[in-house]
Amino acid sequence: MGMKGTAILVAMTTAMGLAHANVGLDFRADSQTVAVGDVVSVDVYAVSDSLVNQPFSSGDLIVTWDPAKLNPVSYSNSGAGYAWGNSGFLFPSLNSSLSDGNAEFSFERQLFAAFPEATPAGLKLTTLKFTAVSPTTQTTVSMPLTLSGRTTRVFDPVLPNTNILGTRDSGAFVTITPPNTNFSGNLYLQDTIFSSGGPRTIVGTVKQGTVT
């Protein structure tokens, strides 16, 4: 076999290896407890299915939630492990409303830059954010495989339109408690006393304390 044949074989072997590499998508933290009105943050990670880093080019993540418990959805790329060329709720099919309980977050690599790589520990893609709306013992942010013709997927960096999605997270669980009613500050105490001349109001000293 000549040098040309060897080069072609190496290229084919490399492409096949990348095509069979799987990248899982993981929600973190798996569970959290917040109060009504608090922001719920769910980090999204790309995780290699082996002990080595695995590159990918782009992907789409379908996310669903109960809009009576969490709403609306937004995102932040602060702290992400890669500077995306383009990312967000890019396509209109599931993103016409970000308050209806479903959305699709998409991420695309920078052109002419290195591919992002899923690591065994996980590469942070983005953070999904919600506001806690009403109390519940448990509500779930889920990652369905398909919804309304859209698919959760991760694309191979070499073979066009090749989905290399591995495992999907079973969901991030959120407990929502009633609003926090703790108050810490200056309490002004007022008393009314009676005397032969009629009632008189006396404002007492300023107190520091907590009301629950």
Side-chain angles (χ1 to χ4, degrees):
M1 181 182 295
M3 292 297 294
K4 182 177 180 180
T6 301
I8 293 174
L9 179 60
V10 169
M12 291 177 61
T13 302
T14 301
M16 290 176 63
L18 289 172
H20 287 88
N22 289 330
V23 174
L25 294 176
D26 188 31
F27 283 152
R28 303 178 187 176
D30 291 328
S31 64
Q32 55 187 297
T33 299
V34 299
V36 169
D38 287 350
V39 173
V40 175
S41 297
V42 179
D43 294 334
V44 183
Y45 281 78
V47 183
S48 169
D49 71 345
S50 70
L51 297 179
V52 297
N53 295 355
Q54 299 192 5
F56 60 97
S57 63
S58 59
D60 302 305
L61 166 68
I62 299 173
V63 56
T64 60
W65 67 96
D66 181 353
K69 305 300 180 184
L70 299 169
N71 234 359
V73 66
S74 61
Y75 76 96
S76 170
N77 287 340
S78 176
Y82 184 86
W84 301 109
N86 197 14
S87 67
F89 303 112
L90 304 179
F91 303 106
S93 55
L94 294 178
N95 297 324
S96 58
S97 171
L98 298 179
S99 300
D100 60 359
N102 61 73
E104 179 184 16
F105 180 84
S106 299
F107 45 96
E108 302 170 355
R109 80 173 183 102
Q110 292 191 50
L111 293 178
F112 312 113
F115 289 108
E117 293 188 353
T119 67
L123 172 76
K124 184 177 176 180
L125 305 182
T126 193
T127 300
L128 301 174
K129 292 181 174 291
F130 308 83
T131 298
V133 175
S134 61
T136 181
T137 55
Q138 181 174 289
T139 191
T140 307
V141 179
S142 299
M143 187 192 303
L145 180 60
T146 60
L147 182 66
S148 299
R150 303 298 296 176
T151 302
T152 294
R153 53 194 178 175
V154 177
F155 287 111
D156 186 273
V158 175
L159 301 179
N161 298 318
T162 299
N163 185 4
I164 58 171
L165 175 67
T167 58
R168 288 177 298 116
D169 197 284
S170 59
F173 304 105
V174 182
T175 298
I176 304 175
T177 62
N180 190 344
T181 57
N182 287 342
F183 169 82
S184 181
N186 293 325
L187 304 180
Y188 294 86
L189 305 181
Q190 179 173 296
D191 289 317
T192 300
I193 64 172
F194 292 87
S195 68
S196 59
R200 292 180 298 167
T201 299
I202 299 176
V203 177
T205 57
V206 175
K207 302 289 187 180
Q208 182 80 23
T210 300
V211 177
T212 59

